[in-house]
Amino acid sequence: MYPSYFLTIPLHWRLYLSLVLLCNVQNLSAQIQAPMTKGAVPLEEESKNSSSGKTYAAIVGVSNYMDPGILDLRYAHRDANIFAEFLQDPRGGGLGKDQLKVIVDSNATLAGIQSILNWLITSCQKDDKAIIYFSGHGDVETKSNREKGYLLAHDTPKNNYPLNGLDIDYLNDSIIGRLTRSQVKVVVILDACHSGALAGDRIGGKEATAMELMKRFSSEVKIMSCQPYESSLEHQRWGNGRGLFSYYLLKGLEGEANKDTIREVDLYELESYLQEKVHLASGKAQHPDIFGGKKQESLFPAAVINTTEKNPEVFEEVNKGIINSVLVHLATSEGRNNYQKFIESIENSYLIKPLDNCAYKWYESLYSDSAFYGVRGILNEKMIVALTDPVQQALVSYLNTDPKELELRENADDKYVQLAEYLSKAMEIMGPGDSRYRQTKAKQLYFDGLVLRMKGQQVNSKKLLEKSRSKQDSALALEDKAAYIHNELGLLSLELRDYPKALTHLKKAIEWSPTWAIPYNNLASAIREIYANEDSLASAVGLYQLAIHYKPDFSSAYMNLGNLYKELNQIDSAEFSYCRALELNANYKDYHLYLGLLLTETDTSRFKEAENLYRQSLKIDAGYPEAYFELANLYDHLQEQDSAEINYKQAIKFKTDYSAAYANLAIHYYSHGNLTDAELNMKYAIRADSLNQSAYAGLIFLYQQQWNKISSLLKRSPLTQKEKTELVRNRGLELLEENEHQQALQLFQTYFNLYPTSADAQYLFGLYYHMIGNKPKALEHFTLCFKKIKLSKSSYLMDMIRSEDKLTELLKTTRYKELYKKYFPKANN
């Protein structure tokens, strides 16, 4: 019995390989030559009652789930293995190992399950039979007509099922539908209604999934373990540890269900047997069902009951014998060496790098080697699963808010470039006709977009961010139910200041995965950025608390909540949140920093604690510039001048464009009379950030009475007219408060000389004369100001005037009101 792709080998190779297999892979033929069990139907009699085609089976059992949030089962893996043993026995059809693929637990990843289902499609031909057996969890997260449910793989996360679990739509259309359209008889055996807390519990997710599974998509036969409102039971008392349904399914198929003289168990007999036995054994709590097929039809040859249990074991890879035969009898020494390197590279996770010694290189060498022509399908699947499994693991780690994974994303680690490349290589092998291609493409676009966003944030490139959003939009077009794609689009839109879209996508992420913590956290942060009113901030607090409710160890949510409480001046709550974040992840440097900042800013008696926290963050990362910066600020406050200077310089050493550190170091130098270094570092601050208004203010302060320097500084500055006006206004008011009236007037005159036609200069003069008590002169300048505002339509300047607390008395005068009404008759004063 050979896989379907064996038939594509040239005839002379096929004949040779057939001889090799007959001589060296006896385990393939031994399955059909095994001694008959007493009472079994003779093979010639069996053939009269069977179709002329072959039978292939894909069997999955998942007891152990990678995500601790999914309750493990006890015997699903054992049920799968024992069912596979039955199929290999003459009683179950005597399937050879080339007709059977079994994966359980850690091997039953989403990629692994999709791989063996794809193998069914490539192996089965017209009149063949395909058996799909699944034992594990099934669930759905939302009550949407578009959500049919998911079978959960070993690496499916506890939520975010789209693209991470086996979609029932995918199973129906891409697998069952494709097989039945090829006139393959399909039998689906599902034991996916086990008890255990899952994401969809609050909406009856298991029940909704079971309802969908019961529906026939095409002409397939479906055997269900129980009704949608029931749970599929498992216990030690059935077969030394089995699922109740699986235990009696095999008992029935082995012959116990047989009620007549015909030596086969038909569907009617099997259904009656299962319903009776399981009904009684479960105390009327579980009722299996069979849908589709003709009731007089049998699925397997009948046999006498065999009560001897076999020890279940995970089956070795199908076709291993064929590969070994190729290596021994067809491959050259170079080919054998390449295959060994291929396997070793996969085991060591050297998949696409280094280029001269990676699995993909050896895969390409084997693929082009004529000796391996007949096993290309096996090589393809090995490479695809090896490439896609680590992508899924990284994605699940992120969805579960793994601190290390979140930190890698925050630091734009190169790992994500590699993951995107893995998926690109996998798609090259699959080809567009592969049933997995669409979903793999969606993930590949997601990771491509993720990499572009991280790069765009690093270099502050709007162009890269727009490209990233285009990638995510394309991913969403392929799978618009994927919450993590909506979440990524929400973050991107927030970065691009497209606030309506940011809110829409983050809310969609919550809609499609209502128990996933991350979008609650991100929506709260978005609301904080977009809105500043009290109600919105209270809403953000609630969203952070929901994130923590769904993921109690979500340390980042505690940190963000602490920041918000600090903003709301709820100091005790802020400290509690920071401390909780540290309890959950003491190795995250930012948590130490934020708690230190809180103590520094709110309680001078706890400066020593703050210092220790900054030092602790530096133990975690000796090159953490922000920690050096805050230490320097603390030492400056304590007047420990040498320590302050050293730490400012350390901050700059590890972050050469640290504008705030240059500016604070400049202030430090100024306070000690070192004007030269003060000026130099203020200039460095502006060079590092040309929009640093504090640095410009510092230089204007340093350039007292050096009006030409101030004029040149303002002229070269890329700041807006409004920002320049505010800088000059603020320094002018400081001079007025210091009774330096003449210097204030000269500063405003310098601004006027630079921008003689601007309304802003007249506003500054008006402010000056009002402050020194010359109200007529002030009104004269405001008259000129209003004329220019009306011509230029500078609305920001009117806002500045109305909000200027120094002008409160003037704005109340009748003369001012008349002046305002004259130039702005339609406006409200």
Side-chain angles (χ1 to χ4, degrees), residues 163-351:
L163 294 181
N164 295 311
L166 189 71
D167 192 330
I168 291 175
D169 275 340
Y170 170 84
L171 178 65
N172 284 338
D173 187 42
S174 299
I175 307 300
I176 296 172
R178 206 158 162 182
L179 287 166
T180 55
R181 287 191 292 272
S182 299
Q183 298 182 50
V184 174
K185 178 71 176 178
V186 181
V187 179
V188 184
I189 302 171
L190 295 165
D191 191 2
C193 298
H194 298 280
S195 61
L198 296 173
D201 280 358
R202 66 187 182 86
I203 57 143
K206 290 190 287 285
E207 294 84 349
T209 302
M211 286 291 291
E212 289 298 328
L213 289 170
M214 289 177 76
K215 296 175 183 177
R216 290 178 69 216
F217 179 76
S218 187
S219 59
E220 77 277 8
V221 175
K222 279 189 174 176
I223 305 178
M224 301 289 297
S225 65
C226 61
Q227 301 300 307
Y229 51 85
E230 299 172 339
S231 289
S232 190
L233 305 177
E234 54 175 9
H235 199 275
Q236 179 68 26
R237 66 177 173 268
W238 296 304
N240 295 319
R242 297 286 305 283
L244 174 59
F245 162 74
S246 177
Y247 177 72
Y248 279 109
L249 173 67
L250 283 189
K251 289 288 187 185
L253 290 173
E254 288 170 342
E256 276 197 12
N258 196 3
K259 293 184 178 180
D260 53 32
T261 56
I262 300 173
R263 302 300 299 278
E264 290 181 345
V265 176
D266 60 37
L267 289 177
Y268 174 78
E269 290 172 324
L270 182 61
E271 184 176 42
S272 298
Y273 174 82
L274 284 172
Q275 289 178 346
E276 176 188 355
K277 292 292 186 181
V278 175
H279 169 85
L280 290 173
S282 65
K284 302 181 181 180
Q286 183 176 341
H287 300 82
D289 235 328
I290 297 178
F291 305 90
K294 298 175 182 178
K295 291 300 182 183
Q296 68 272 24
E297 175 185 17
S298 63
L299 301 180
F300 306 99
V304 297
I305 305 168
N306 183 348
T307 57
T308 304
E309 291 286 357
K310 296 181 181 180
N311 292 323
E313 60 183 38
V314 177
F315 283 73
E316 293 181 353
E317 181 186 337
V318 181
N319 299 315
K320 185 175 181 181
I322 297 176
I323 286 280
N324 287 338
S325 294
V326 170
L327 291 171
V328 172
H329 298 281
L330 298 180
T332 62
S333 59
E334 182 183 1
R336 289 191 291 274
N337 186 48
N338 288 346
Y339 183 78
Q340 182 63 33
K341 288 180 178 177
F342 172 61
I343 296 300
E344 287 175 358
S345 296
I346 288 177
E347 290 173 349
N348 293 319
S349 298
Y350 301 145
L351 302 182

Side-chain angles (χ1 to χ4, degrees), residues 49 107 124 174 195 233 244 266 294 333 356 393 433 462 467 470 473 501 523 583 595 683 694 758 794 805 814:
N49 297 299
N107 290 318
C124 290
S174 299
S195 61
L233 305 177
L244 174 59
D266 60 37
K294 298 175 182 178
S333 59
D356 61 343
Q393 289 164 15
K462 185 178 179 180
K467 284 184 177 180
S470 177
D473 283 336
K501 278 192 177 179
L523 181 58
E583 286 174 18
L595 181 54
K683 288 180 177 178
S694 297
S758 73
S794 304
D805 59 351
T814 302

Side-chain angles (χ1 to χ4, degrees), residues 14-229:
R14 225 158 59 220
L15 291 173
Y16 179 64
L17 188 54
S18 297
L19 290 172
V20 168
L21 294 175
L22 285 172
C23 295
N24 298 284
V25 197
Q26 295 180 8
N27 65 316
L28 295 178
S29 58
Q31 303 299 322
I32 61 171
Q33 296 173 2
M36 289 187 295
T37 307
K38 183 179 178 182
V41 178
L43 292 180
E44 56 268 25
E45 182 180 338
E46 175 196 334
S47 65
K48 296 175 184 177
N49 297 299
S50 328
S51 69
S52 58
K54 292 182 179 180
T55 297
Y56 295 90
I59 300 172
V60 180
V62 190
S63 294
N64 176 261
Y65 283 88
M66 189 170 79
D67 193 321
I70 300 176
L71 183 68
D72 285 343
L73 299 173
R74 297 175 67 188
Y75 305 120
H77 67 293
R78 190 160 186 260
D79 289 338
N81 279 321
I82 293 175
F83 184 71
E85 290 176 348
F86 164 74
L87 293 181
Q88 287 190 301
D89 192 279
R91 296 166 295 164
L95 271 60
K97 285 191 176 180
D98 63 330
Q99 295 171 263
L100 183 71
K101 281 192 181 281
V102 187
I103 51 174
V104 299
D105 287 344
S106 61
N107 290 318
T109 61
L110 180 62
I113 295 172
Q114 289 180 330
S115 177
I116 67 170
L117 291 175
N118 187 68
W119 164 81
L120 269 186
I121 290 171
T122 58
S123 299
C124 290
Q125 299 179 22
K126 181 181 176 181
D127 295 328
D128 284 346
K129 181 189 292 181
I131 299 171
I132 299 170
Y133 177 99
F134 178 88
S135 182
H137 280 303
D139 195 22
V140 65
E141 291 181 83
T142 65
K143 275 190 174 178
S144 166
N145 292 332
R146 296 175 54 218
E147 283 276 76
K148 304 304 181 186
Y150 300 85
L151 301 178
L152 308 190
H154 166 73
D155 56 358
T156 298
K158 66 181 179 182
N159 44 42
N160 273 273
Y161 298 150
L163 294 181
N164 295 311
L166 189 71
D167 192 330
I168 291 175
D169 275 340
Y170 170 84
L171 178 65
N172 284 338
D173 187 42
S174 299
I175 307 300
I176 296 172
R178 206 158 162 182
L179 287 166
T180 55
R181 287 191 292 272
S182 299
Q183 298 182 50
V184 174
K185 178 71 176 178
V186 181
V187 179
V188 184
I189 302 171
L190 295 165
D191 191 2
C193 298
H194 298 280
S195 61
L198 296 173
D201 280 358
R202 66 187 182 86
I203 57 143
K206 290 190 287 285
E207 294 84 349
T209 302
M211 286 291 291
E212 289 298 328
L213 289 170
M214 289 177 76
K215 296 175 183 177
R216 290 178 69 216
F217 179 76
S218 187
S219 59
E220 77 277 8
V221 175
K222 279 189 174 176
I223 305 178
M224 301 289 297
S225 65
C226 61
Q227 301 300 307
Y229 51 85

